[in-house]
Amino acid sequence: MKKKDIRILLVDDEPDILEIVGYNLAQEGYQISTAANGREAVAKAKKELPHLIIMDVMMPEMDGMEATEAIRKIPELSHVIITFLTARSEDYSQVAGFDAGADDYITKPIKPKLLVSKVKALLRRLKEAEAQNSETLNVGGIEINREEYKIVKDDKEIILPRKEFELFYLLASKPGKVFKREEILDKVWGNEVIVGGRTIDVHIRKLREKIGDDFFKTIKGVGYKFEV
């Protein structure tokens, strides 16, 4: 996918940030649109189907957490990349952000060149996903379509956010194999993202709730495996 085809939605209640961030990303050739609060962000995301959303956390009307949760419930937007934009002084939990459905976070203030670099790193995931071979797995009575990000269990379709799907696909691709935490972080989140082991635990908990507790086994001090 070419830069001119990539749509980025910027969400912040500070006009200066929208202007500066939008200008620097537009200079890179991306399509940029903006929203001033979470409610407007949800509406624009539905209409424009962006590839990446850069979302401020603290906003009036609807904050970034609430907006992200709302966006993740929209099937067409369940796999959009969402990164939070948060000030260092804000009372913000990374785990809470990932739990809400964010893929990453950016701390402001941030220099324009570093921001552009961060966005490029996030969008590399999009390119990597496109480059992967189409494949459908059938394990434990569950059909997993890698190309369509689709899961069918007991004739019912289950919609998972991007990171939950990628984690599930990784574990299910080799039933019985123990995936170490380091390997999971590297393959699902990538080396450019610094997250803690707690992030994996949160995503595993969600998968157990949606897919079934018996499929996921914790290997204490090591990692996780998928059992059928």
Side-chain angles (χ1 to χ4, degrees), residues 136-216:
T136 299
L137 295 178
N138 287 280
V139 289
I142 305 171
E143 181 179 297
I144 312 166
N145 189 311
R146 185 69 179 83
E147 184 176 27
E148 299 179 6
Y149 276 78
K150 181 179 178 182
I151 294 173
V152 177
K153 179 176 182 281
D154 299 329
D155 296 323
K156 294 182 179 179
E157 184 174 343
I158 301 172
I159 301 296
L160 298 177
R162 178 185 292 272
K163 289 305 173 190
E164 287 180 37
F165 182 95
E166 291 178 356
L167 174 57
F168 180 48
Y169 187 87
L170 175 66
L171 297 178
S173 66
K174 294 182 179 180
K177 169 182 165 60
V178 177
F179 286 86
K180 295 181 179 179
R181 287 175 171 271
E182 295 80 6
E183 183 178 5
I184 293 173
L185 286 172
D186 179 59
K187 292 186 175 179
V188 177
W189 278 271
N191 291 328
E192 76 276 12
V193 182
I194 301 174
V195 297
R198 174 63 178 153
T199 302
I200 301 176
D201 299 336
V202 169
H203 283 70
I204 289 290
R205 174 175 58 79
K206 288 189 172 185
L207 288 175
R208 282 175 167 151
E209 292 172 354
K210 297 174 183 178
I211 307 296
D213 186 63
D214 294 339
F215 288 106
F216 305 92

Side-chain angles (χ1 to χ4, degrees), residues 12-21 36:
D12 202 297
D13 61 334
E14 297 183 42
D16 289 348
I17 290 180
L18 293 179
E19 183 178 354
I20 294 170
V21 174

